Amino acid sequence: MDSNGPIVRLTDITRVYGKGEAELRALDGVSFDIHRGEFVSIMGPSGSGKSTTMNVLGCLDSPTSGQYLFNGVEVAGLDRDQRALLRRHYLGFIFQGYNLLPRTTALQNVELPLIYKGMGRDEREARALAALDKVGLAARAHHDPSALSGGQQQRVAIARALVGDPEVILADEPTGNLDTKRSVEIMELMVELNRAEGITIVMVTHEDDMAAFGSRLIWMVDGKVESDKAIERAA
Amino acid sequence: MLWETIKLAVQSILRNPMRSFLTILGVVIGVAAVIAMVTVGNGSSAQVTTDVESLGANLLTLRPGQDRMGPGSDQGGAARPFDLDDIDRILDQIGAISVAVPTGSQTIVAVFEGENYQTTVTGTQNGYFEAKDWALSAGRLFSSSEESGKTACIIGQTVREELMGSADPIGRKIRIDNLNCTVVGLLEAKGANTFGQDQDDTVIMPFKTFARRIAGSTDVSSITLSVRDGYSTDRAIDDLTNLMREIRRIQPGDDDDFSIRDTEQLANMLGSVTSVLTGLLSAVAAVSLLVGGIGIMNIMLVSVTERTREIGIRMAVGAQASQVLLQFLVEAIVLSALGGVIGIALGLAMGAIGSSMLNVPFIPDPGTIALAFGFSAVVGIVFGYFPARAAARLDPIEALRH
């Protein structure tokens, strides 16, 4: 591992669905680096490949061709189980629809990644509580998701993403289901994590206001990176 | 990790108790049916053995004619009866026989102070009680003068109740046919035999009295014998057969014109009938266990579809395919093992109720219980594997989009 190089380096990544006439090039030669501590916003019209990029970054999907170095290690050719291990130890996910387990308390939801890390019950609970505390929901640890508001559910999801001390958190339209006030709260929380914990964040969004919380904006069109520039932080 | 997985499985089962209950219902019923069948079956077998033993240990019955079914079975009527000399020769020549007494029976109405009761009157000798292992609860056996032709009788509990209620019967006179008969003894209660016949519904009188005054002939229609303890019943039957062939002058190669029945044979026959029935019913119950397993597979498959998103979430946070497989497999096994445990409890309860209703002893069989539990766990593995594999093969992106 190379801790001085970029945490993520995509080189000429393509992702092609289908074959022949029905071929769809979702990603068509995407290249960029992401460095430790960055907060990258990815924007673009629908069908521009931003979600596919996230799937590739999150090791949920393998690129058809190209090179993906994570921490200097080639991951494009990893099999399913190896990718699962990479997600388990280095990545955290935040989704638009929160994706919490129903009929499962906030605490148990946050514990989930730690179970797969093989952590003992007591340590798991302590860490999950600490993570919930960071997102301001320690008091709601024993509530079911159904008893929480959308903003609170997303904060539980953020606690779940950060509980395993990931290198990178991948957020796919994290404020897509929230009103402006809650959205800003969530973004402020993410900025806080980025600054205080030094967690690298990559976020897909289609809202300019939300993208503006990041330190860098990648604009994608038709499976290609059209522009990539640093942005002046709103805060 | 396995322990963790089991706890997760229990959590997930408890999250939907109603569905979990319905899922395992098939296995519960299957296991309960098997356990109940085997328990009641074992009890019945044991009861048959006890019943047959109550007929008297090492008891043989010698009858004229062949004891067989179908065409020609009426030849029994044509065969010559025995006589008292035959009995003397049996006792004289076969050392293994300790008791040989003549018996003859008729169905007659007994009358006592205006009460009428139809019963079986048997003429025999004191040895009959020894052969049948039947003690008196009051009074005495026949005296030698009574045995040589005086009227006296020993009655069973049922006859006493029907005729005189709970009164002391000893010394009272009952009328049988045209005989005024003094009751000298009261037999102990013996209950119903294997065929449901009330053994206490009987009046016994000396054979000679019965022959002269009731049957009207000294022909012996059957002989009750007892094999001495420690002697082989089979040997005794062989010796008896040879002797009877000799007495009745049956040519070598000709069939016997008499038959010998022993209680052991009867016990074996009834025992095998019971075990065939038990086996058959258990097989039917086992099929319902199989159907229960298919029920589990069905629900688990539905559950995989329903929980696609959950599987996606687990995979996103780092679960490997094998861990998802294990989770669903363990869930299926825990479910069906739970069904097994509930089924065993239910089956034992049903077995206990069934046994007491049929009046047979309650004998749970640990082997069957272990087998039923093992089988229900195997059902979980077999029928849980397919849905679990379906879950493990899901594509995480597709699963999350679900």
Side-chain angles (χ1 to χ4, degrees):
Chain A
M1 291 214 184
D2 173 11
S3 54
N4 296 317
I7 181 110
V8 165
R9 166 163 284 173
L10 298 185
T11 312
D12 207 17
I13 293 285
T14 64
R15 180 67 175 97
V16 182
Y17 296 105
K19 276 188 177 140
E21 290 289 299
E23 186 181 283
L24 178 72
R25 297 182 83 80
L27 295 182
D28 191 6
V30 171
S31 304
F32 58 76
D33 288 359
I34 293 172
H35 294 273
R36 250 168 258 278
E38 276 192 295
F39 188 149
V40 182
S41 300
I42 301 178
M43 293 188 76
S46 44
S48 61
K50 49 190 198 302
S51 283
T52 309
T53 305
M54 285 298 267
N55 287 340
V56 169
L57 285 175
C59 294
L60 292 167
D61 200 359
S62 286
T64 309
S65 70
Q67 196 188 37
Y68 173 13
L69 294 178
F70 187 91
N71 249 348
V73 178
E74 176 61 75
V75 298
L78 296 183
D79 67 18
R80 282 188 67 171
D81 279 348
Q82 291 167 320
R83 283 186 272 142
L85 287 177
L86 201 131
R87 290 196 295 273
R88 182 187 300 175
H89 294 290
Y90 299 104
L91 301 176
F93 289 86
I94 301 169
F95 306 93
Q96 178 176 4
Y98 325 131
N99 274 341
L100 300 175
L101 297 184
R103 294 184 294 275
T104 305
T105 64
L107 186 67
Q108 285 172 329
N109 264 294
V110 177
E111 277 183 49
L112 195 63
L114 303 180
I115 289 176
Y116 292 108
K117 282 191 163 185
M119 202 174 278
R121 189 195 175 86
D122 292 343
E123 191 184 354
R124 233 163 51 205
E125 253 188 48
R127 287 208 185 195
L129 268 175
L132 280 171
D133 195 38
K134 273 183 204 164
V135 300
L137 279 180
R140 306 279 175 143
H142 297 286
H143 285 59
D144 271 13
S146 57
L148 300 174
S149 71
Q152 287 171 330
Q153 288 188 52
Q154 193 59 299
R155 283 195 273 162
V156 172
I158 292 172
R160 182 180 64 191
L162 67 88
V163 73
D165 290 332
E167 300 262 356
V168 179
I169 286 181
L170 299 164
D172 194 354
E173 306 221 18
T175 58
N177 288 5
L178 301 174
D179 62 32
T180 311
K181 188 160 180 283
R182 305 293 155 225
S183 295
V184 169
E185 283 173 18
I186 293 294
M187 292 318 300
E188 281 169 350
L189 182 57
M190 287 174 57
V191 168
E192 169 72 15
L193 291 176
N194 176 241
R195 283 186 182 161
E197 314 264 330
I199 300 173
T200 310
I201 294 178
V202 183
M203 174 180 75
V204 163
T205 182
H206 57 255
E207 294 167 276
D208 294 333
D209 297 351
M210 301 305 139
F213 282 90
S215 59
R216 176 180 163 196
L217 175 66
I218 294 176
W219 183 269
M220 294 186 70
V221 176
D222 288 340
K224 293 188 172 92
V225 175
E226 201 188 64
S227 71
D228 183 351
K229 60 192 177 202
I231 44 180
E232 203 64 28
R233 279 218 168 165
Chain B
M1 192 66 209
L2 184 66
W3 179 234
E4 208 56 63
T5 312
I6 292 174
K7 280 200 289 191
L8 277 178
V10 172
Q11 267 176 22
S12 140
I13 288 165
L14 293 181
R15 222 172 275 155
N16 212 333
M18 186 62 185
R19 190 177 67 187
S20 302
F21 173 72
L22 289 174
T23 306
I24 64 176
L25 196 57
V27 170
V28 169
I29 291 173
V31 169
V34 170
I35 299 280
M37 287 303 160
V38 172
T39 306
V40 173
N42 282 343
S44 306
S45 295
Q47 186 61 39
V48 164
T49 312
T50 331
D51 283 352
V52 171
E53 271 165 8
S54 85
L55 291 174
N58 313 320
L59 185 76
L60 302 182
T61 311
L62 181 60
R63 288 173 197 281
Q66 265 300 327
D67 219 13
R68 67 163 107 99
M69 307 286 201
S73 61
D74 60 343
Q75 96 183 100
R80 228 164 1 105
F82 310 108
D83 59 38
L84 291 171
D85 291 342
D86 295 344
I87 292 175
D88 292 339
R89 288 185 67 180
I90 290 169
L91 285 172
D92 202 39
Q93 293 188 23
I94 305 175
I97 300 291
S98 60
V99 175
V101 290
T103 50
S105 298
Q106 277 192 18
T107 304
I108 295 172
V109 176
V111 183
F112 174 76
E113 292 177 355
E115 294 287 339
N116 292 322
Y117 183 66
Q118 179 172 295
T119 184
T120 307
V121 176
T122 299
T124 186
Q125 294 167 355
N126 282 336
Y128 181 78
F129 305 111
E130 185 190 333
K132 289 230 162 193
D133 200 12
W134 207 349
L136 293 178
S137 71
R140 56 167 175 81
L141 295 178
F142 300 121
S143 67
S144 52
S145 68
E146 282 160 359
E147 289 239 284
S148 55
K150 280 195 168 170
T151 56
C153 57
I154 294 174
I155 62 174
Q157 293 284 355
T158 305
V159 173
R160 175 247 198 145
E161 259 163 51
E162 292 293 336
L163 290 180
M164 48 195 92
S166 57
D168 179 11
I170 307 298
R172 314 236 180 189
K173 283 184 188 295
I174 59 176
R175 194 158 56 79
I176 289 165
D177 238 12
N178 51 2
L179 280 180
N180 266 318
C181 201
T182 310
V183 176
V184 298
L186 176 67
L187 286 162
E188 267 184 354
K190 208 161 191 178
N193 68 11
T194 325
F195 309 102
Q197 197 178 17
D198 180 7
Q199 298 179 90
D200 299 320
D201 183 4
T202 188
V203 171
I204 293 170
M205 59 173 61
F207 181 75
K208 282 184 177 158
T209 320
F210 177 83
R212 271 181 221 148
R213 310 286 295 273
I214 291 174
S217 107
T218 55
D219 288 348
V220 174
S221 62
S222 91
I223 301 176
T224 298
L225 310 100
S226 184
V227 179
R228 220 180 278 281
D229 281 346
Y231 285 76
S232 152
T233 307
D234 290 342
R235 272 286 299 282
I237 290 174
D238 285 347
D239 291 349
L240 190 59
T241 306
N242 291 334
L243 177 64
M244 291 316 293
R245 287 180 72 93
E246 189 189 316
I247 292 173
R248 294 162 82 86
R249 296 199 182 80
I250 297 169
Q251 299 302 314
D254 285 359
D255 287 342
D256 297 344
D257 67 347
F258 59 90
S259 60
I260 300 166
R261 212 191 276 169
D262 75 307
T263 47
E264 211 171 299
Q265 208 182 331
L266 194 65
N268 291 341
M269 189 185 79
L270 289 172
S272 69
V273 168
T274 318
S275 59
V276 164
L277 273 179
T278 305
L280 204 65
L281 291 171
S282 304
V284 172
V287 169
S288 69
L289 194 50
L290 192 72
V291 174
I294 294 170
I296 285 196
M297 177 158 77
N298 188 14
I299 298 289
M300 290 303 293
L301 275 173
V302 170
S303 162
V304 168
T305 313
E306 265 186 13
R307 289 160 67 190
T308 300
R309 185 189 284 267
E310 173 191 333
I311 296 163
I313 295 168
R314 288 180 184 276
M315 285 175 165
V317 302
Q320 289 175 323
S322 58
Q323 291 171 317
V324 173
L325 181 105
L326 191 68
Q327 183 198 341
F328 276 80
L329 197 55
V330 166
E331 233 171 82
I333 295 169
V334 169
L335 264 180
S336 65
L338 189 70
V341 170
I342 297 173
I344 286 167
L346 192 66
L348 287 177
M350 279 161 50
I353 294 168
S355 301
S356 79
M357 269 165 50
L358 292 172
N359 243 334
V360 300
F362 172 60
I363 305 172
D365 177 22
T368 311
I369 291 170
L371 199 70
F373 181 76
F375 192 69
S376 63
V378 169
V379 161
I381 294 171
V382 171
F383 292 104
Y385 179 74
F386 186 64
R389 201 185 53 171
R393 282 186 174 175
L394 285 175
D395 175 12
I397 302 169
E398 291 298 323
L400 281 169
R401 219 174 268 161
H402 196 80

